[in-house]
Amino acid sequence: MPPTTPSPKPGPTPTPAPSGMRRWGPLFGAACLLIALGFGAAAWLRRPAEAPGFGSVAGEVTLPGGVNLGGPFTLVNQDGRTVTDRDYRGRWTLMTFGYTFCPDVCPTELATIASALDALDPALAERVQPVFVSIDPARDTPEHLKQYVALFHPRLVGLTGTPEQVAAAARAYRVYYAKARGQDTTEYLMDHSSFMYLIGPDGTVRALFQPGVTPEQLAEALRRRAAQS
């Protein structure tokens, strides 16, 4: 069970976020993803009446038909082993992108995922693999990730890789990330979009969850989705 308020990272305390730094809230983050996908907001956020139950949890976004999101990736896990998207086929994957030096959003989301998994029946929780993909490979080595993910949940997997591998995975999932403007030291911060991706056993993205979703809402959505397979 992760600590109620986990440390943002093991090791040195991260530089506090400057007062002008963007906070990727639900509305701004949703807008970024809408632009990246090239869909209008009305079409993206619509919850079709013909699919009752889908997108019924606050913060859950169901993909419109025809949207192609996600895809193959090759990364390195916290044990230094090369893995691909196929290593997670056959079960549900709950994936989020971030970095271990993140002062607020990333630890909050990972704590939400951990609490949601712990709220599930153990047999159901075993069918959901939580994954944290670093968008800061320069600092997030496998060894560092291993310490970090252990703070949240024993089943949480951390993934990193070369800058090129990380960039390819981010492109596949339409993830925006960049070093914060003016942050040239080793204690820099990263701007990044912040969604949770629920990937089905077949490797397709089934739903997104916006920042701010609660553990209870996430657990409810996981129960409903997992019942489909």
Side-chain angles (χ1 to χ4, degrees), residues 11 16 22 35 40 44 48 76 95 108 123 153 156 159 176 199 212 219 226:
R22 291 175 182 146
I35 293 171
W44 178 254
V76 178
M95 179 183 291
T108 298
H153 198 277
L156 179 61
L159 299 181
Y176 166 81
I199 304 166

Side-chain angles (χ1 to χ4, degrees), residues 152-174:
F152 297 92
H153 198 277
R155 295 186 56 245
L156 179 61
V157 170
L159 299 181
T160 185
T162 66
E164 294 76 16
Q165 288 173 328
V166 170
R171 280 195 301 270
Y173 287 87
R174 311 297 199 273

Side-chain angles (χ1 to χ4, degrees), residues 14-37:
T15 303
S19 59
M21 179 183 176
R22 291 175 182 146
R23 300 293 181 181
W24 298 100
L27 294 179
F28 190 82
C32 288
L33 190 61
L34 288 170
I35 293 171
L37 289 173

Side-chain angles (χ1 to χ4, degrees), residues 130-149:
V131 174
F132 176 67
V133 182
S134 172
I135 46 84
D136 186 18
R139 294 181 296 183
D140 288 343
T141 62
E143 295 80 11
H144 185 71
L145 272 176
K146 188 167 188 174
Q147 296 177 47
Y148 186 75
V149 297

Side-chain angles (χ1 to χ4, degrees), residues 9 18 48 62 139 158 176 186 219:
K9 70 175 187 70
T62 298
R139 294 181 296 183
Y176 166 81
T186 57

Side-chain angles (χ1 to χ4, degrees), residues 50-129:
E50 65 271 21
F54 280 65
S56 61
V57 169
E60 181 182 4
V61 179
T62 298
L63 297 178
V67 171
N68 184 19
L69 183 61
F73 62 79
T74 299
L75 293 166
V76 178
N77 69 13
Q78 76 268 24
D79 295 318
R81 183 172 67 87
T82 297
V83 298
T84 73
D85 56 297
R86 292 193 171 275
D87 287 290
Y88 302 101
R89 298 287 175 89
R91 52 187 157 172
W92 292 85
T93 301
L94 187 58
M95 179 183 291
T96 187
F97 290 75
Y99 66 115
T100 67
F101 288 72
C102 182
D104 44 26
V105 175
C106 300
T108 298
E109 288 198 340
L110 292 177
T112 295
I113 290 173
S115 296
L117 289 176
D118 287 341
L120 298 177
D121 177 89
L124 176 57
E126 285 293 325
R127 296 172 57 197
V128 181
Q129 175 61 62

